[in-house]
Amino acid sequence: MNVDVKMDLKGLACPLPVVKVSQQVKKMKVGEVLEAETTDPGAHADFPAWAKSSGNEILKTVKEEKSAKFYIKKLK
């Protein structure tokens, strides 16, 4: 998978990871992919909810020992 932008959001608590991802996705072109790595356990609910409401797509989620990576595709 091609990743166009990577964000390190480790250590940020809710709602900052979603806010920063939302701001970054607005700067990206349609079809580009963002990799967001976070340690916020709330992100597992927040990112899919945000993606659904904003019309973007979570392509994949990779859970690691202390963090998770979300791959988000800008759809519009």
Side-chain angles (χ1 to χ4, degrees):
M1 173 184 331
N2 286 340
V3 173
D4 299 291
V5 178
K6 291 185 179 184
M7 295 183 76
D8 181 354
L9 304 168
K10 293 181 297 231
L12 298 178
C14 182
L16 285 177
V18 169
V19 169
K20 291 191 174 284
V21 163
S22 177
Q23 291 172 339
Q24 179 60 46
V25 167
K26 288 178 183 173
K27 299 176 189 173
M28 296 168 60
K29 296 176 184 172
V30 172
E32 288 186 328
V33 175
L34 168 69
E35 176 191 288
E37 184 172 10
T38 180
T39 52
D40 179 16
H44 294 282
D46 293 346
F47 281 0
W50 167 81
K52 185 177 180 180
S53 69
S54 65
N56 295 293
E57 180 180 10
I58 305 285
L59 298 175
K60 185 166 99 175
T61 303
V62 178
K63 293 181 182 179
E64 299 183 346
E65 187 175 336
K66 294 183 179 179
S67 66
K69 291 181 180 177
F70 294 85
Y71 295 87
I72 303 162
K73 183 175 184 178
K74 181 172 181 166
L75 296 182
K76 59 180 181 178

